[in-house]
Every structure is written in structure tokens, then in C-alpha cells.
């Protein structure tokens, strides 16, 4: 593919240099620190084997891709794979203003030139509806949508009904006030510790907010978003992902350290001890004729950081998970999660079903201890998936029922880099197979910035299967590390590989060689913290 550059002969290289140079104004990451990406202008035209390379033609009056292989006039993806990059989590500040605006603008221009289709934007409940129920302020997010629109990129929006620990983005102030009066609106473990980053699924339909339920509040939020952003829908905004729980995912917060729930040394713990969950458990046990089973969760389970063999419940041979009680509890626990997912996805279908948007929800890849018989990390997270039972069929059926795609992270992972007992590749294959059978599409993500080449190789392998089920990928996420000299050259090579941007200038016909390709060597990039 060839990228055309605007203007006259003096702008052959200047456009890309200008976009890259603007990144030196960046303020990615911690708001208390300013990160800078500096470019050595004396080296910016050096040839090398790494980084940003664009064959240029100084003939047109706009920056446009010359070739497109997709049927869509707005897509430059290959074989139906659309590439997106996640914007910083704190793109919009808690005061509803834009953080690191110039850096994001420069980054968006660079992504456009590279051949990325668009970006993903987290939209936080705690920012938009911060001070009062039903009082919405979308100003910061409207500014981002306008910025993306002007640059000709696509935008996918993630509606986040959870809080973020880093950077700190809390739930709405008024929600926290209700939580102070009734702490049981949060998930609770057997020691009484509460997870206050999102609401317990047990209160979905309960009128805990002055006669209004969380489901009603979520739906009103979605309707306000739809009304406010209607001018962008279908043109700039092409998809919406609705938050389903902790970190936006459909799961229980079984590991309170959200950064490690996908790969934790321990098995995590069941989150069924708030008064509302316990009420539902008691009612279910009585209905099943086992009232003594409804007094609480299993008593013979390990704690958060202990391995499966620490207690009897998850043991491979003779563990309580295989007993009638184990089946009773695990069925109830997982069905509560599935019902919650159905309620939230039904909201998304109701509000956005008649729009041109692609509707999605996020499913975690809880791959720790996958090679054991009981799959304990999946069980505590709410997925009744064991060596004897496929726990994802009912989950994925709910997505299909509500015409929703699945956002699935972990496409960058391989078993070779994971500890004993973990198998992200096997779990990914299992979920893919179920999605194929049920006709539910997958949009993939990585779990962290790839600092090694095989992370990108794993992603490309997942995107180029003979029987593809993943036709979209969002790389998470933009920030100072994203533009670092160690990472950014590998990312640009990844984009070229997926979009077939690997045509060397020497392979072009002589008549099309108007300018030398621009090279930005990996060592030119320097990240500094002021």
C-alpha cells in the first residue's frame, strides 16, 4: 500500500515529521507527570530496518490511502480484519476536560497514516453522570468524537459502568453515597471484604436508587448517549460496547487485584456474600429442597492467593466441586452471572438495536489453572467450566440471543510464556469453537502492551486462521509506553503485516517512485518524564 501526502514538493516528508514531532507535547499516563516523546530531527530521515516507513507521493491535496482491499469505502483492512487502537483510559478527565489533547491528536494522525481503521474510547459513568442521577455531561467525549471525525477515523465507544483503580476514576459520587448507606450493593467475599469498583449483580432489578434500579439507570445512560451522539452514529461511531461488570467484563471480581485476574497464582474467591446474593442463594436452596445448602458459599475453598490443592473443594480427585452440593452451588453461581449478562445485553439491544452500531460485550479470558480438572479460577469468576462440562455454551448463547458480539482479550498470549497450570491458547480455542457453532462474532484484544515480538505473532496468527471467527482487533492501549522506542517499531511492523503494508519502495514501478521512504528508527524515540 502507498500513502499519499498533501501539498507541494516541500511537504513530501514534512507532514509525517510534523505529526511525530507533536508527540513531544504529550502528557500520557499519570496526570501529575508529563511524559515526552522526543524526536531527533538530525536522524529523522535515516534509513534503517525498524519503525515507521511510508512510501510517499507528493501529488494530492489530502492524506488518503491509495489502495483499499475491503469492500467498505471507509476501511483499509485486509480480509475483513479491522484494526483499532484504544485511547488512554483517562482521555477525558474527572472534570470532563481533555487530557494530553495535543499528544492524542498527533497520535491519531500517526495511526491514520499507518493504516489503522480507528480508535476505541472508554466512556466513564463516574465522569458523565458524576454528581446527580440523570444529570449528564458529555462535553469531553463530544470533543473527542469531533476530533476523531475530523481526522477521518472510526470510533468505538465502551460504556464503562465500573470504576478504575489506575488512573483513579470512581463510580458516580451519588452512587457512592448510596453505597455508604447500604454497603451490600457491592460484591462481598466470605470475610466481608467489599469490592467497590462496581455494583453487585444481585441489585440489578432492585429499586436501590430512590425507587430506581441500576438496570433503569444504565438504560437511561445509554439512551442519553444515543441521543447526544446521534450525529456521529454510523459514520464516525461504528460500535458500542456495554459494560458488564468488573473492568467492563462479564465476571465476578474473584481476584480483587484486577490487573491479575486473568493470570493469578491463586484461585480467587467466590463473591456471593452480600445480603442480596445470600437471599437469592437461600431462596434457590429452598426451591431445590436443600435449605441447608443455602446458608453461604462452600466452606472448603482456598483463599485468594492459594493454589487449588490448598483445600478440598477444587482438588482434582475427590474435590467437592464434583459432589451434588458442588454442582448445586456452581450452577446457581454461574446462572446468576449469565442472567445478569442477559439483562445488560438486553438493554444494549433495546437502545441500540435499530442503530447502525455494532453492539458488543466483553468476556474475560480467565486462563489460570486451565489444565486442572476443576478449572478453579474460572469457577470463582462465574464460569462453570470444568474438564467434564463446557461452561461457555450458555454464556455465548446469551450474546447471540441479544445480537451482540464478544470482545475477547488475550490474543497476544501463548502457553509457552505462562506458568504451569495455565493455558490461554486452549481456553481461547474453546471459546472460539463455541462462537463458531453459535454464530457469534469475536472482536479481539491484547491483554497488555506487547514487549516481545511473539506477542504480535500470536495476534496475527489468531487473525489469519483458515476458519476465521475473529474479524476485528483493538490494540490496548495508547500512552507513553505505546510510543516508546522498544514498543512502537514493533507495533508499526505489526500493522504493516496485518494490512500488508510491507511493499518496499524498490518493488514499486519506476513511474510511481516520487520520493524516498521516510524512516524513523527505533532509537530515535525517547520517552522522558518531566
Amino acid at each position: 500500500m502507498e500513502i499519499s501526502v498533501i501539498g507541494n514538493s516541500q511537504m513530501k516528508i514534512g507532514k509525517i515529521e510534523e505529526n511525530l514531532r507533536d508527540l513531544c507535547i504529550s502528557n500520557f499516563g499519570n496526570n501529575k507527570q508529563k511524559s515526552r516523546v522526543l524526536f531527533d530531527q538530525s536522524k529523522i530521515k535515516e534509513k534503517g530496518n525498524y519503525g515507521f516507513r511510508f512510501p510517499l507521493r507528493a501529488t494530492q491535496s489530502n492524506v488518503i490511502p491509495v489502495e483499499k482491499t475491503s469492500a467498505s469505502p471507509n476501511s483499509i483492512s485486509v480480509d475483513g480484519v479491522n484494526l483499532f487502537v484504544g485511547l488512554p483510559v483517562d482521555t477525558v478527565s474527572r472534570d470532563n476536560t481533555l487530557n494530553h489533547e495535543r499528544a492524542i491528536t498527533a497520535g491519531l494522525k500517526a495511526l491514520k497514516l499507518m493504516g489503522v481503521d480507528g480508535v476505541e474510547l472508554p466512556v466513564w459513568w463516574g465522569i458523565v453522570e458524576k454528581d446527580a442521577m440523570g444529570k449528564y455531561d458529555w462535553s469531553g467525549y463530544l470533543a473527542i468524537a469531533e476530533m476523531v471525525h475530523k481526522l477521518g477515523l472510526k470510533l468505538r465507544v465502551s460504556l464503562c459502568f465500573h470504576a478504575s483503580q489506575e488512573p483513579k476514576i470512581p463510580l458516580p459520587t451519588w452512587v457512592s453515597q448510596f453505597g455508604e448507606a447500604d454497603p451490600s450493593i457491592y460484591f462481598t467475599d466470605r470475610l466481608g471484604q467489599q469490592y467497590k469498583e462496581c455494583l453487585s449483580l444481585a441489585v440489578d432489578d432492585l429499586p436501590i436508587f430512590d425507587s430506581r434500579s441500576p438496570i433503569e439507570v444504565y438504560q437511561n445512560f445509554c439512551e442519553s448517549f444515543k441521543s447526544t451522539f446521534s450525529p456521529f452514529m454510523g459514520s464516525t461511531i461504528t460500535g458500542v460496547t456495554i459494560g458488564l461488570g468488573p473492568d467492563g467484563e462479564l465476571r465476578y471480581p474473584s481476584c480483587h487485584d484486577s490487573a491479575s485476574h486473568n493470570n493469578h497464582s491463586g484461585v480467587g474467591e467466590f463473591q456471593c456474600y452480600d445480603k442480596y446474593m445470600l437471599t437469592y442463594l437461600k431462596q434457590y436452596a429452598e426451591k431445590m429442597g436443600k435449605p441447608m445448602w443455602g446458608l453461604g458459599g462452600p466452606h472448603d475453598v482456598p483463599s485468594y492467593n492459594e493454589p487449588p490443592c490448598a483445600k478440598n473443594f477444587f482438588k482434582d480427585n475427590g474435590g467437592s466441586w464434583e459432589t451434588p452440593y458442588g454442582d448445586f452451588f456452581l450452577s446457581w453461581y454461574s446462572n446468576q452471572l449469565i442472567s445478569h449478562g442477559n439483562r445488560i445485553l438486553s438493554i444494549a439491544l433495546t437502545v441500540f438495536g435499530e442503530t447502525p452500531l455494532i453492539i458488543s460485550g466483553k468476556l474475560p479470558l480467565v486462563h489460570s489453572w486451565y489444565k486442572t480438572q476443576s478449572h478453579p479460577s474460572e469457577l470463582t469468576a462465574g464460569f462453570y467450566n470444568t474438564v467434564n462440562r463446557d461452561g461457555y455454551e450458555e454464556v455465548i448463547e446469551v450474546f447471540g440471543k441479544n445480537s451482540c458480539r464478544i470482545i475477547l482479550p488475550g490474543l497476544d498470549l501463548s502457553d509457552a510464556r505462562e506458568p504451569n497450570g495455565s493455558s490461554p491458547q486452549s481456553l481461547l480455542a474453546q471459546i472460539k469453537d463455541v462462537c463458531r457453532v453459535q454464530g457469534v462474532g469475536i472482536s479481539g484484544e491484547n491483554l497488555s502492551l506487547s514487549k516481545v515480538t511473539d506477542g504480535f505473532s500470536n495476534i496475527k496468527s489468531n487473525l489469519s486462521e483458515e476458519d476465521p471467527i475473529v474479524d476485528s482487533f483493538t490494540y490496548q492501549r495508547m500512552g507513553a509506553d505505546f510510543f516508546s522506542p522498544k514498543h512502537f517499531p514493533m507495533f508499526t511492523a505489526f500493522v504493516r503485516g496485518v494490512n500488508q503494508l510491507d511493499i518496499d519502495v524498490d518493488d514499486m514501478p519506476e513511474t510511481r517512485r516520487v520520493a524516498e521512504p521516510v524512516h524513523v528508527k527505533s532509537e530515535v524515540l525517547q520517552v522522558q518524564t518531566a
Side-chain angles (χ1 to χ4, degrees):
M1 179 177 287
E2 192 175 24
I3 301 296
S4 299
V5 176
I6 66 171
N8 53 45
S9 60
Q10 295 178 349
M11 299 184 68
K12 293 177 181 178
I13 297 173
K15 187 68 177 178
I16 294 177
E17 288 185 357
E18 176 187 344
N19 293 337
L20 297 176
R21 216 168 30 238
D22 283 347
L23 285 169
C24 70
I25 312 298
S26 68
N27 182 26
F28 287 121
N30 193 321
N31 287 339
K32 296 180 180 179
Q33 297 178 326
K34 292 186 178 181
S35 301
R36 294 183 178 180
V37 183
L38 303 180
F39 296 88
D40 185 340
Q41 298 303 309
S42 66
K43 297 182 180 180
I44 199 147
K45 298 180 186 178
E46 286 188 11
K47 295 183 178 180
N49 296 321
Y50 306 99
F52 240 157
R53 189 180 70 188
F54 299 92
L56 304 179
R57 280 194 307 162
T59 58
Q60 305 296 325
S61 60
N62 214 340
V63 180
I64 57 171
V66 176
E67 299 176 7
K68 294 184 180 182
T69 56
S70 170
S72 169
N74 296 318
S75 173
I76 55 174
S77 59
V78 173
D79 295 330
V81 177
N82 295 297
L83 292 178
F84 284 70
V85 171
L87 290 173
V89 171
D90 63 341
T91 294
V92 175
S93 73
R94 291 171 62 178
D95 296 325
N96 226 314
T97 59
L98 298 190
N99 285 323
H100 29 255
E101 180 177 357
R102 291 185 63 181
I104 289 177
T105 301
L108 292 176
K109 292 178 181 178
L111 295 178
K112 175 71 174 179
L113 289 170
M114 290 167 62
V116 172
D117 291 273
V119 290
E120 176 265 341
L121 174 66
V123 174
W124 296 94
W125 184 25
I127 291 177
V128 175
E129 200 177 357
K130 177 182 178 181
D131 296 322
M133 181 168 50
K135 182 180 179 181
Y136 309 104
D137 183 355
W138 299 98
S139 56
Y141 296 105
L142 282 167
I144 290 292
E146 183 64 28
M147 181 189 302
V148 174
H149 169 73
K150 288 181 178 179
L151 291 172
L153 289 165
K154 300 302 179 186
L155 181 64
R156 290 179 177 174
V157 172
S158 298
L159 303 180
C160 303
F161 296 112
H162 63 281
S164 171
Q165 296 180 2
E166 185 58 43
K168 184 65 176 178
I169 302 175
L171 293 177
T173 303
W174 58 272
V175 172
S176 298
Q177 291 171 349
F178 278 101
E180 291 175 2
D182 182 8
S184 282
I185 69 174
Y186 301 118
F187 286 108
T188 306
D189 65 18
R190 58 179 171 168
L191 295 179
Q193 300 177 96
Q194 294 165 332
Y195 181 83
K196 297 184 178 181
E197 307 301 315
C198 68
L199 298 177
S200 169
L201 59 83
V203 300
D204 279 352
D205 290 320
L206 301 181
I208 61 172
F209 298 139
D210 290 338
S211 78
R212 302 185 70 82
S213 70
I215 286 291
E216 292 175 300
V217 171
Y218 298 153
Q219 180 163 343
N220 291 341
F221 186 92
C222 292
E223 289 171 343
S224 178
F225 169 80
K226 175 184 175 182
S227 174
T228 303
F229 289 85
S230 59
F232 297 97
M233 289 187 180
S235 53
T236 298
I237 300 177
T238 58
V240 59
T241 299
I242 190 163
L244 297 171
D247 297 322
E249 299 174 333
L250 181 63
R251 62 176 174 88
Y252 291 96
S254 51
C255 292
H256 281 191
D257 181 2
S258 61
S260 63
H261 77 267
N262 289 289
N263 185 21
H264 199 265
S265 59
V267 299
E269 290 199 21
F270 294 112
Q271 306 291 309
C272 59
Y273 292 89
D274 65 74
K275 69 179 182 182
Y276 301 107
M277 287 289 282
L278 288 174
T279 296
Y280 294 149
L281 176 58
K282 181 176 182 294
Q283 292 172 349
Y284 179 71
E286 291 173 349
K287 178 181 177 181
M288 299 298 292
K290 301 289 184 180
M292 296 303 295
W293 288 359
L295 302 180
H299 67 278
D300 56 346
V301 291
S303 60
Y304 285 106
N305 297 318
E306 290 183 321
C309 60
K311 297 290 190 303
N312 186 64
F313 191 86
F314 297 119
K315 285 184 177 179
D316 276 354
N317 297 306
S320 301
W321 62 276
E322 294 186 281
T323 65
Y325 167 75
D327 181 66
F328 158 85
F329 175 79
L330 295 172
S331 296
W332 171 81
Y333 190 69
S334 64
N335 285 336
Q336 292 294 304
L337 183 69
I338 293 170
S339 297
H340 166 75
N342 184 56
R343 288 190 289 269
I344 302 296
L345 294 177
S346 295
I347 289 175
L349 181 60
T350 298
V351 177
F352 301 111
E354 299 300 321
T355 71
L357 303 184
I358 296 172
I359 308 170
S360 304
K362 193 170 184 178
L363 197 66
L365 193 73
V366 188
H367 54 82
S368 291
W369 303 107
Y370 186 88
K371 294 179 181 178
T372 65
Q373 293 183 23
S374 65
H375 296 213
S377 294
E378 291 168 86
L379 297 184
T380 57
F383 302 100
Y384 191 2
N385 188 55
T386 69
V387 68
N388 302 320
R389 187 181 192 277
D390 191 327
Y392 293 94
E393 291 180 348
E394 293 176 289
V395 175
I396 293 169
E397 183 179 353
V398 166
F399 281 81
K401 170 186 174 182
N402 290 288
S403 302
C404 291
R405 294 175 60 87
I406 287 175
I407 305 291
L408 187 63
L411 269 63
D412 54 322
L413 302 182
S414 69
D415 291 0
R417 290 186 174 271
E418 300 300 327
N420 293 335
S422 177
S423 183
Q425 289 178 294
S426 297
L427 178 54
L428 188 59
Q430 178 184 353
I431 294 173
K432 284 180 180 179
D433 286 344
V434 178
C435 286
R436 288 189 181 97
V437 171
Q438 299 199 15
V440 175
I442 296 175
S443 297
E445 290 185 356
N446 53 309
L447 272 175
S448 60
L449 285 181
S450 293
K451 301 296 180 63
V452 290
T453 55
D454 63 354
F456 288 110
S457 298
N458 294 332
I459 297 170
K460 286 191 284 187
S461 177
N462 279 299
L463 297 178
S464 59
E465 295 176 318
E466 290 186 6
D467 184 15
I469 187 68
V470 182
D471 60 8
S472 175
F473 183 79
T474 299
Y475 192 80
Q476 300 291 9
R477 105 179 17 255
M478 187 189 291
D481 288 343
F482 179 85
F483 292 105
S484 71
K486 184 176 181 179
H487 172 266
F488 196 56
M490 289 193 292
F491 177 75
T492 59
F494 162 72
V495 175
R496 287 200 304 270
V498 175
N499 279 344
Q500 297 182 351
L501 294 175
D502 54 357
I503 302 176
D504 192 277
V505 67
D506 294 331
D507 296 329
M508 292 187 213
E510 188 69 28
T511 56
R512 297 183 69 184
R513 294 188 204 165
V514 179
E516 286 292 316
V518 171
H519 302 267
V520 179
K521 296 181 69 176
S522 60
E523 61 264 31
V524 173
L525 286 164
Q526 300 176 22
V527 178
Q528 297 183 352
T529 300

